[in-house]
DNA sequence: TTGCGGAACATGTATATACAAGTTGTAAAA
DNA sequence: TTTTACAACTTGTATATACATGTTCCGCAA
């Protein structure tokens, strides 16, 4: 593994474990250079990563202050699969595959997935149950060129795990959009909406390493259970 | 100005202006090094920034592909003032200052702004009108230690401009949280809610360069007009 | 006592060099 | 013709050096 990543992970782990008191300085770059027996540039790469992820704040002429991280509980920012999220949640979760089929792309899908008319597309509809309540409705569409086969088992477990480990796809980046919509009949039917008159919809286009678009997803959430946490720099 | 930032801005401008066709390769790092008469590391700093911001996708052994940017229309991600947003909007916008006063921090504010009991805090309530409709209700609280004075004029124009240019504050990062809530009486009174039974609330804690917390904000949006666009990397 | 200057330290930027590792096309070998 | 091997590209990582620039603190001079 690369040195700067190893150092980054080591420092991140120590910060999370409160190895240093919050709001105090990290050792200086020169000290870290000596501690890890490497060069200053390598340390700086690790520190810049830490700053980007909100662990530290670099102050010129002074040093790196450890930011008091109040554990981000639901980082929908970034690309994270539901299964990866679920392990952080205390509650019981369950995934119900309600639909799984290969369909021809209609006009709407064509524009969202950038495929030609009539091309084959996998459609997966899944309901996410948290603590016994049906909270999230995930509608995924995959370009069959990149995902030729999907099974009930894969969808019930983790599609992302299958794509990355078995199909060796390099998922790279996504464009996301969050809006609030009125529930569709499908939403009302599949979710426990409890009279709520809105759903929060996260629409994502997901791209591979080679910038090809392979997935379009709508994640539809009951509004009271939705929470998006973000870290932003000016 | 720093070389790598100059190069970054130059490349970003060219990409936005379609100087190179979308989905094609940028010149290689070595070519750019020659073009800008600098070192490869400096070029790499600029390219990494472009990748971070979603302009390009770096592919090892091949080069940097230009990502087809479909102009992100409403980047609430990052820290952006309403006035900065407004210049990108085509519609007419107006800001109405509905409240401006210095108050003692109550228990709730104490925890949100990390101030002591009874400390002075500026409270600003503003309504944002877009195309004649009252869409957004911004409630800002500033720690008086960092912001001793605020006037009607400043609030009607841009508080951020005042903080950064006149008070010389270095606004650095923010923690944000997006949730959906039921409208309060204040929401119903000040906004044109048109019968909507929810509001989208962005709660932000904003920090200075030296990691001190100086602002807490709730930005309350009418759900049909709310849209959050994000670029994420796995 | 007060204020100024500078040493010693911090991070930021720029450059050069070396090698590792992935991709592609070509020419030689089977 | 097909396969293999390699050269010539690409980006990724690691190191060393130099200087710029911001912060802190201590001691000396006024």
């Amino acid at each position: 593994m690369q040195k700067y990543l190893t150092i980054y992970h080591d420092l991140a782990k120590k910060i999370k474990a409160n190895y240093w008191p919050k709001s105090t300085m990290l050792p200086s770059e020169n000290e870290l250079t000596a501690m890890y027996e490497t060069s200053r540039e390598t340390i700086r790469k690790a520190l810049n990563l830490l700053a980007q992820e909100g662990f530290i704040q670099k102050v010129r002429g002074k040093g790196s202050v450890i930011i008091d991280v109040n554990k981000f509980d639901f980082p929908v920012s970034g690309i994270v699969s539901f299964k990866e999220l679920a392990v952080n949640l205390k509650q019981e979760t369950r995934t119900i595959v309600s639909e799984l089929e290969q369909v021809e792309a209609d006009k709407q899908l064509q524009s969202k997935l950038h495929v030609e008319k009539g091309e084959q597309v996998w459609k997966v509809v899944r309901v996410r149950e948290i603590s016994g309540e049906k909270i999230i409705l995930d509608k995924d569409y995959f370009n069959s060129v990149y995902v030729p086969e999907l099974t009930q088992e894969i969808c019930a477990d983790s599609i992302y795990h299958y794509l990355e480990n078995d199909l060796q796809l390099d998922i790279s980046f996504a464009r996301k959009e969050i809006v609030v919509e009125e529930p569709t009949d499908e939403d009302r039917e599949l979710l426990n909406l409890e009279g709520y008159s809105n759903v929060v919809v996260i629409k994502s286009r997901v791209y591979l390493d080679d910038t090809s678009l392979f997935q379009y997803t709508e994640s539809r959430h009951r509004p009271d259970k939705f929470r998006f946490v973000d870290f932003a720099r000016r």
Side-chain angles (χ1 to χ4, degrees), chain A residues 36-214:
Chain A
Y36 286 98
E37 293 178 320
T38 179
S39 69
R40 194 176 145 223
E41 281 302 318
T42 301
I43 292 294
R44 283 177 60 73
K45 269 197 184 179
L47 291 187
N48 284 334
L49 262 185
L50 288 174
Q52 217 174 91
E53 300 297 321
F55 286 101
I56 62 171
Q57 168 74 6
K58 307 198 79 180
V59 186
R60 187 185 195 147
K62 296 174 85 173
S64 298
V65 186
I66 296 166
I67 297 178
D68 193 355
V69 253
N70 47 344
K71 69 216 174 289
F72 4 101
D73 0 359
F74 208 155
V76 184
S77 183
I79 308 175
V80 184
S81 77
F82 183 77
K83 195 175 185 189
E84 289 164 359
L85 272 180
V87 299
N88 294 323
L89 255 55
K90 290 286 174 292
Q91 287 107 324
E92 190 99 356
T93 64
R94 195 160 74 96
T95 292
I96 304 153
V97 180
S98 114
E99 224 178 307
L100 168 61
E101 54 175 343
Q102 215 167 9
V103 298
E104 281 194 0
D106 61 11
K107 202 143 192 180
Q108 216 183 11
L109 260 182
Q110 283 169 40
S111 76
K112 296 207 185 290
L113 256 180
H114 295 165
V115 294
E116 295 300 311
K117 188 181 174 186
E119 271 200 79
Q120 293 295 302
V121 167
W122 278 101
K123 177 183 183 183
V124 185
V125 179
R126 290 178 293 180
V127 177
R128 315 292 197 172
E129 209 176 78
I130 303 178
S131 300
E133 279 191 302
K134 298 182 174 62
I135 300 295
I136 304 171
L137 178 65
D138 278 342
K139 302 179 70 170
D140 297 277
Y141 301 90
F142 297 92
N143 189 330
S144 296
V145 172
Y146 304 103
V147 187
E149 192 56 42
L150 273 181
T151 69
Q152 195 85 11
E153 289 73 41
I154 294 167
C155 296
D157 183 37
S158 168
I159 295 183
Y160 266 37
H161 184 274
Y162 168 70
L163 298 180
E164 291 186 320
N165 293 75
D166 298 336
L167 292 189
Q168 302 280 331
L169 293 182
D170 280 313
I171 297 159
S172 180
F173 61 94
R175 291 183 196 293
K176 299 185 164 204
E177 180 187 344
I178 303 179
V179 292
V180 178
E181 295 182 357
E182 297 202 355
T184 63
D185 291 342
E186 189 182 32
D187 294 331
R188 294 185 202 283
E189 181 189 336
L190 295 175
L191 296 178
N192 302 127
L193 273 186
E194 310 280 352
Y196 285 99
S197 57
N198 283 309
V199 286
V200 181
V201 186
I202 306 177
K203 303 178 180 182
S204 306
R205 288 182 173 77
V206 190
Y207 298 79
L208 298 177
D209 214 10
D210 62 356
T211 74
S212 51
L213 173 61
F214 84 105

Side-chain angles (χ1 to χ4, degrees), chain A residues 213-227:
Chain A
L213 173 61
F214 84 105
Q215 177 190 9
Y216 173 77
T217 294
E218 283 190 19
S219 193
R220 309 175 70 85
H221 296 238
R222 202 171 88 184
D224 62 319
K225 296 292 187 183
F226 174 81
R227 183 178 140 90

